[in-house]
Amino acid sequence: MRSRTPFHRRLALFLTPLVAAALLIPFGVSAAAADPVETMSGTGPYDAQYDTSLRLRDHTIYRPSTLPDDEQLPIVAWGNGACLANGTMFEDVLLEFASHGFLVIANGRPNGSGRTDADMLIDAVDWAVAENERAFSKYRGKIDTDNIAVMGQSCGGLETYEVADDPRIDTTVLWNSGLLDPSDTHLVENLHAPVAYFTGGPTDIAHRNALEDWGRLPEELPAFLGALDVGHSGTFGEPNGGEYGRVGTAWLQWHLKDDAEAAREFVGDDCGLCDTDWEVEQQNLD
């Protein structure tokens, strides 16, 4: 696996201890580690929970509590804000995604500490692909390895950029995130899968960066940008991730499950998010 360490060091420009601490506050995250617990939540058709795996020690796995027999679960790899190794930092929104039939794998153990890196997103995808084939795995035959998303918030979005050139990825999603260093613009130019940017509007410290990245996208790439005036922490701290949870679920339903109804939230002059509190930009969407 290629090393991404030099780019990860440059994230320090964005992640002073004060910034990292500030990012924890909106999500009610404690810096102290705690024993992993199971929880259930989400508005989808499945009760959802999180757990861990000895084969993927540094991640938190969100899934339907009872793995369905009638559909396979697409894969969603998630990078946390501040690149913190706390897999339950975004518990509400990730449970929401899982409740709609996705296998969501977050960097970091439940209530973990320390820092993450971009390679952990690929580790999550590799683990899911292997589990789908492994004899005696509870996930055997239950994972849709042909439909994979990678997404992250803030610093986790920068990690997402680093792995977005993986040919297995079917969509890339950046939450409250954008490149910091102009020398990294090749990461935008090399995007190959449909991409979505969701920002917290002008008060979001990453909003301007996202707009600059939008202007660098390959002309032929399908892309969506939605800005809701909620600041850098978005609505992640609301039940089920609030509006971010609803919109993120729709994007995943469209791109990983070919849900035409979900696509209407983003496509056309009369899209579901058009003429709402969202400010919308579209490119090559049909």
Side-chain angles (χ1 to χ4, degrees):
M1 181 179 294
R2 65 181 180 233
S3 173
R4 301 183 175 91
T5 303
F7 178 78
H8 192 259
R9 288 197 185 111
R10 291 201 295 276
L11 299 184
L13 294 171
F14 190 49
L15 291 168
T16 65
L18 288 176
V19 171
L23 287 173
L24 292 175
I25 294 172
F27 309 109
V29 176
S30 170
D35 291 333
V37 297
E38 290 189 353
T39 187
M40 295 185 183
S41 187
T43 66
Y46 303 105
D47 287 331
Q49 70 176 60
Y50 68 78
D51 57 21
T52 58
S53 170
L54 292 176
R55 296 174 182 271
L56 192 69
R57 292 177 177 271
D58 296 324
H59 294 72
T60 302
I61 303 157
Y62 295 81
R63 61 175 179 84
S65 299
T66 300
L67 297 173
D69 294 322
D70 57 347
E71 72 166 323
Q72 292 180 310
L73 307 177
I75 302 165
V76 181
W78 175 273
N80 301 313
C83 292
L84 294 177
N86 180 352
T88 46
M89 182 177 180
F90 292 86
E91 174 182 342
D92 286 346
V93 72
L94 301 187
L95 283 168
E96 174 66 9
F97 296 159
S99 77
H100 289 271
F102 297 95
L103 181 70
V104 186
I105 308 168
N107 288 348
R109 292 185 61 78
N111 295 303
S113 60
R115 299 295 295 278
T116 62
D117 60 48
D119 287 335
M120 294 175 70
L121 295 170
I122 296 300
D123 292 343
V125 173
D126 290 344
W127 171 85
V129 171
E131 284 297 293
N132 192 57
E133 299 294 332
R134 185 174 66 84
F136 307 114
S137 169
K138 65 186 176 185
Y139 296 103
R140 183 176 174 87
K142 295 185 178 294
I143 301 175
D144 181 357
T145 59
D146 291 327
N147 285 286
I148 300 172
V150 62
M151 58 170 63
Q153 195 267 351
S154 192
C155 181
L158 300 182
E159 292 178 333
T160 296
Y161 265 134
E162 289 191 73
V163 304
D165 61 346
D166 188 306
R168 298 173 296 179
I169 291 170
D170 297 288
T171 187
T172 302
V173 185
L174 291 304
W175 297 93
N176 314 99
S177 190
L179 290 177
L180 303 171
D181 189 338
S183 68
D184 295 317
T185 57
H186 64 281
L187 295 172
V188 178
E189 295 162 358
N190 290 340
L191 290 171
H192 69 89
V195 61
Y197 296 85
F198 297 109
T199 84
T203 60
D204 182 348
I205 59 174
H207 178 68
R208 181 176 177 180
N209 305 78
L211 292 179
E212 291 174 350
D213 291 353
W214 177 266
R216 302 182 180 113
L217 289 173
E219 291 184 1
E220 71 282 0
L221 188 73
F224 181 89
L225 188 151
L228 185 66
D229 191 13
V230 290
H232 191 61
S233 60
T235 66
F236 292 113
E238 298 178 11
N240 305 307
E243 180 67 357
Y244 274 18
R246 185 187 74 83
V247 171
T249 296
W251 184 267
L252 293 174
Q253 294 276 26
W254 176 21
H255 287 280
L256 301 187
K257 294 189 177 185
D258 295 323
D259 186 326
E261 183 66 26
R264 294 175 185 167
E265 289 291 322
F266 310 100
V267 176
D269 294 336
D270 59 347
C271 74
L273 297 186
C274 299
D275 297 323
T276 68
D277 290 337
W278 287 88
E279 295 290 333
V280 168
E281 297 283 350
Q282 301 162 321
Q283 175 177 298
N284 301 326
L285 297 180
D286 54 36

